């Protein structure tokens, strides 16, 4: 039996073929991903970029803003254009490309300022993503909210194109990193047996999964590690009746620990380790806004909470949003919103 036979074809064949044709017809291809790119955004973009380069395409990857230091080891990450530092070059690439891939986000708004240029561009547009409610501007849409990561969708697409044998070590590393980070190291959203069939296929490409784990998760600076300790001991409030927790960090708190991009990534998950806590929120004061992150266990819909109160969205168990106003008002609105969900949150089976 071929190793690859255990993976089912989830992407409709006609879509896979259409995207393949669009690629064949294009020579300059642009890959874009969402604001504050995470492991899956970068993993899917870099893996797909490596694949397209291998096919002889002229490929660029643009991300709206910078990404955390613990993802900078990813092969190809040095060649990513960061739009906020290089807007002119970014706009010119968007205007002069034949095909644009939008990976790991559902609507143009999720790339911030770049959105308008992408919408205006004459290029063909393809969405490959796993968020709900895909946008309507695309020539082809591969949208699978039931799949844990966009990187997994990229793997499946390459497999459906018969590309597994030729898949490189770099492509496999990037795909693995995205699958790992969007499931918290395979601790949530990760009960689909095929995930492990795919991991086994990636290991056959000689990736070192233990090393990838360490590079992402065991790579704290001392300041970052102390910031985590400070947050959990000094900036956490528990709402026992509501099975909820809040952690927060003001600008001042962050500067005390020499905050740098990505330092608080993953913090929001920690309160879920507390017995009976099923909903966790992290409020972080940023430069021009207050950033909200939500995580839940079970059926509590973080994405609904984020979109109802904080202009956001995401997945049922992991979502985010924004608040425009003072940090104190963000905390106040959060508590009011939390109490408005009291009935649902009191119920232990949420
Ligand atoms: P994080 O808490 O790690 O920033 O975001 C978790 C997930 O929530 C992301 O993968 C993304 O799907 C979603 N998300 C985060 N921030 C926003 C936002 O401002 N708007 C929307 N629509 N989704 C967000
Ligand atoms: Mn993702």
């Amino acid at each position: 039996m071929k190793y690859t036979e255990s993976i089912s074809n989830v992407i409709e064949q006609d879509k896979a073929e259409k995207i393949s044709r669009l690629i064949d017809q294009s020579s300059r291809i642009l890959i874009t991903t969402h604001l504050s790119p995470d492991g899956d955004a970068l993993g899917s973009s870099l893996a797909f970029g490596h694949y397209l380069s291998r096919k002889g395409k002229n490929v660029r990857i643009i991300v709206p803003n910078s990404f955390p230091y613990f993802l900078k080891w990813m092969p190809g990450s040095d060649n990513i254009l960061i739009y906020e530092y290089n807007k002119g070059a970014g706009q010119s690439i968007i205007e002069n490309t034949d095909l644009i891939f939008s990976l790991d986000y559902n609507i143009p708004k999720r790339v911030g300022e770049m959105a308008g240029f992408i919408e205006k561009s004459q290029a063909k547009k393809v969405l490959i993503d796993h968020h709900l409610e895909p946008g309507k501007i695309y020539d082809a849409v591969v949208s699978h909210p039931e799949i844990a990561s966009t990187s997994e969708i990229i793997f499946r697409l390459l497999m459906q194109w018969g590309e597994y044998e030729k898949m490189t070590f770099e492509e496999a590393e990037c795909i693995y990193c995205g699958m790992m980070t969007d499931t918290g190291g395979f601790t949530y959203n990760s009960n689909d047996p095929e995930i492990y069939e795919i991991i086994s296929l990636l290991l056959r490409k000689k990736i070192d999964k233990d090393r990838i784990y360490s590079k992402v998760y065991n790579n704290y600076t001392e300041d970052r590690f102390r910031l985590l300790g400070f947050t959990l001991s000094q900036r956490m409030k528990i709402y026992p009746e509501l099975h909820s927790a809040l952690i927060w960090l003001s600008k001042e708190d962050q500067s005390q620990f020499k905050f740098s991009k990505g330092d608080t990534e993953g913090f929001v998950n920690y309160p879920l380790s507390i017995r009976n806590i099923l909903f966790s929120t992290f409020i972080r004061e940023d430069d021009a806004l207050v950033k909200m992150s939500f995580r839940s266990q079970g059926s509590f819909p973080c994405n609904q909470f984020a979109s109802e109160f904080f202009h956001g969205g995401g997945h049922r168990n992991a979502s985010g949003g924004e608040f425009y106003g003072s940090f104190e008002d963000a905390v106040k609105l959060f508590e009011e919103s939390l109490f408005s969900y009291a009935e649902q949150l009191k119920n232990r089976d949420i």
Side-chain angles (χ1 to χ4, degrees):
M1 186 179 114
K2 273 172 73 180
Y3 304 129
T4 49
E5 275 170 14
S6 49
I7 314 292
S8 38
N9 286 353
V10 300
I11 300 157
E12 293 111 298
Q13 201 55 33
D14 58 334
K15 262 187 207 170
E17 282 165 18
K18 180 171 182 184
I19 296 170
S20 177
R21 273 197 307 279
L22 287 169
I23 292 171
D24 285 344
Q25 291 158 5
S26 310
S27 57
R28 299 164 303 177
I29 302 182
L30 168 62
I31 297 172
T32 61
T33 192
H34 61 76
L35 275 162
S36 299
D38 56 14
D40 186 34
L42 292 170
S44 54
S45 298
L46 286 165
F48 202 54
H50 288 306
Y51 161 74
L52 292 171
S53 302
R54 180 154 70 69
K55 288 270 150 192
K57 303 296 173 184
N58 178 352
V59 186
R60 291 307 308 259
I61 301 175
I62 305 186
V63 299
N65 57 356
S66 64
F67 49 90
Y69 69 90
F70 53 82
L71 295 173
K72 295 206 165 135
W73 61 271
M74 295 181 79
S77 63
D78 286 349
N79 296 323
I80 292 177
L81 187 135
I82 299 173
Y83 183 81
E84 74 173 348
Y85 301 148
N86 223 331
K87 296 187 181 177
Q91 286 160 19
S92 148
I93 294 169
I94 297 170
E95 276 160 20
N96 296 296
T97 192
D98 307 315
L99 178 59
I100 300 177
F101 280 94
S102 294
L103 300 191
D104 201 36
Y105 66 98
N106 55 345
I107 46 170
K109 183 181 152 237
R110 294 281 293 133
V111 294
E113 261 183 53
M114 275 162 61
F117 297 99
I118 292 179
E119 282 171 305
K120 268 194 303 197
S121 162
Q122 297 298 307
K124 295 278 186 198
K125 302 177 186 83
V126 177
L127 180 79
I128 304 179
D129 179 43
H130 68 142
H131 295 90
L132 294 166
E133 297 170 15
K136 302 212 184 311
I137 65 160
Y138 302 97
D139 297 283
V141 170
V142 175
S143 170
H144 287 276
E146 79 286 5
I147 292 183
S149 62
T150 301
S151 298
E152 180 183 331
I153 304 177
I154 293 294
F155 179 89
R156 289 173 178 278
L157 185 60
L158 295 183
M159 248 208 37
Q160 281 183 230
W161 285 338
E163 286 287 341
Y164 174 70
E165 296 305 325
K166 292 198 201 117
M167 182 180 287
T168 63
F169 171 78
E170 285 76 20
E171 288 161 41
E173 273 201 313
C174 295
I175 289 170
Y176 183 80
C177 181
M179 290 177 65
M180 179 187 80
T181 51
D182 258 23
T183 56
F186 306 102
T187 62
Y188 50 81
N189 260 345
S190 51
N191 284 331
D192 175 2
E194 288 196 11
I195 289 179
Y196 304 92
E197 309 271 5
I198 294 173
I199 295 174
S200 144
L201 290 168
L202 296 171
L203 288 167
R204 290 178 198 284
K205 295 287 171 186
K206 300 280 185 283
I207 64 161
D208 183 341
K209 65 183 259 308
D210 304 344
R211 181 180 139 271
I212 294 175
Y213 184 95
S214 276
K215 287 201 177 232
V216 174
Y217 294 118
N218 299 336
N219 199 0
Y220 279 56
T221 59
E222 181 182 336
D223 275 319
R224 181 183 178 202
F225 201 58
R226 290 190 188 281
L227 176 64
L228 172 62
F230 169 82
T231 309
L232 299 182
S233 71
Q234 307 297 317
R235 295 289 183 266
M236 182 170 75
K237 181 170 174 185
I238 301 292
Y239 306 83
E241 296 275 291
L242 304 181
H243 307 290
S244 299
L246 168 68
I247 54 175
W248 69 92
L249 286 173
S250 67
K251 269 257 151 209
E252 199 184 330
D253 294 336
Q254 295 165 60
S255 63
Q256 224 185 307
F257 293 88
K258 305 185 196 73
F259 175 84
S260 89
K261 182 98 186 167
D263 276 358
T264 54
E265 188 86 24
F267 281 19
V268 63
N269 292 304
Y270 282 92
L272 293 179
S273 305
I274 303 169
R275 173 188 301 185
N276 289 331
I277 296 298
L278 302 172
F279 179 43
S280 171
T281 295
F282 176 37
I283 304 182
R284 188 173 70 79
E285 188 176 15
D286 209 333
D287 291 332
L289 53 86
V290 181
K291 181 67 197 159
M292 315 288 300
S293 283
F294 308 102
R295 297 291 186 276
S296 69
Q297 296 186 73
S299 62
F300 184 74
C302 287
N303 46 2
Q304 191 183 317
F305 191 87
S307 76
E308 197 171 328
F309 304 109
F310 296 100
H311 317 280
H315 312 280
R316 185 185 64 185
N317 296 124
S319 71
E322 290 158 357
F323 179 81
Y324 297 91
S326 75
F327 185 57
E328 291 69 27
D329 285 348
V331 175
K332 203 161 146 248
L333 176 61
F334 163 73
E335 288 205 324
E336 285 164 12
S337 313
L338 184 72
F339 297 139
S340 79
Y341 268 78
E343 283 315 307
Q344 211 176 329
L345 286 161
K346 273 181 190 160
N347 176 355
R348 279 274 289 113
D349 294 326
I350 48 178

